[in-house]
Amino acid sequence: MQRILSFQDELNHEFAAEETSPLSPKDLKSFKTLDFFKIDTSFCFKAKFVRTPYETPFIMKTTTGREPLYVKYAEAHFEFQDKKYTVNIYQNQGLTTESEYENYLFLPFTDLTNGETTYAGGRFIDLSIPEGDEILIDFNTAYNPYCAYNDRYSCPIPPEENHLNLLIPVGVKKYKNLPTTH
């Protein structure tokens, strides 16, 4: 629980700081806190981590013309309400050369809350390479990509195979101050 609260505090701090916030200057002035769902630890899974070492790097689609190179690093297998789920976990090839990101993994996903209570384009979870064959996936730490707050950002689009056919009502909710087009 404390880990989730720390995650929320760090995210709010990042959004409130002019140097790190993805918000427009206008939205930043009125920013108080992100809107989080109530924490529910039943959406925290010790998933089986299955390394997929011989994958070919690919260009992950983004919301713009940017073409980041990713590789499917592993699969995570977990059960929820007697159903089995598998999600792909990716590694950004451009980040692997930076020491602070050498263990960084990326889980982009969509679920049945998208477009309703969460950002229509999906959400992300940051992970680290685990030491064993289990990885902790805590959907309470799911966050919106920066393009959910400001269209000047280019964001990866979660691959179709990472669509979870269930409601995941935890993590960050949809941002209310989305710009309206006239």
Side-chain angles (χ1 to χ4, degrees):
M1 184 74 116
Q2 187 54 50
R3 185 179 45 76
I4 299 164
L5 292 171
S6 294
F7 163 81
Q8 292 179 352
D9 286 346
E10 284 174 35
L11 207 54
N12 277 326
H13 182 73
E14 177 185 322
F15 274 69
E18 196 175 334
E19 320 75 67
T20 54
S21 182
L23 299 173
S24 69
K26 179 179 158 284
D27 286 346
L28 185 59
K29 279 182 189 160
S30 62
F31 179 76
K32 300 277 184 271
T33 180
L34 289 168
D35 194 7
F36 294 95
F37 286 98
K38 187 172 183 283
I39 292 171
D40 181 348
T41 55
S42 68
F43 286 92
C44 183
F45 303 98
K46 270 196 183 332
K48 183 169 177 50
F49 185 78
V50 180
R51 183 75 174 88
T52 55
Y54 304 110
E55 296 287 335
T56 304
F58 68 98
I59 293 170
M60 190 175 286
K61 288 181 183 168
T62 64
T63 54
T64 65
R66 194 172 59 90
E67 298 184 332
L69 199 60
Y70 280 83
V71 70
K72 177 180 164 187
Y73 190 87
E75 293 177 351
H77 302 266
F78 63 94
E79 263 187 57
F80 182 65
Q81 297 175 340
D82 298 325
K83 288 194 175 122
K84 293 180 187 316
Y85 296 94
T86 300
V87 288
N88 294 335
I89 298 174
Y90 302 96
Q91 187 175 50
N92 181 322
Q93 298 303 279
L95 291 179
T96 56
T97 56
E98 298 178 37
S99 61
E100 66 190 285
Y101 290 106
E102 64 188 2
N103 289 321
Y104 175 75
L105 296 176
F106 177 60
L107 171 55
F109 71 96
T110 56
D111 69 276
L112 298 178
T113 65
N114 299 135
E116 299 297 322
T117 53
T118 64
Y119 176 60
R123 292 182 289 164
F124 302 161
I125 297 176
D126 295 333
L127 301 167
S128 293
I129 297 172
E131 291 189 14
D133 63 355
E134 281 190 340
I135 190 165
L136 182 69
I137 297 177
D138 188 346
F139 287 97
N140 288 281
T141 63
Y143 63 93
N144 295 323
Y146 277 6
C147 53
Y149 306 98
N150 192 323
D151 60 9
R152 75 172 192 250
Y153 288 97
S154 173
C155 300
I157 296 171
E160 237 174 78
E161 58 268 20
N162 272 11
H163 176 71
L164 295 165
N165 198 25
L166 72 143
L167 292 166
I168 302 180
V170 292
V172 179
K173 291 183 180 182
K174 181 169 34 177
Y175 186 58
K176 304 286 189 252
N177 290 9
L178 285 174
T180 53
T181 50
H182 297 289

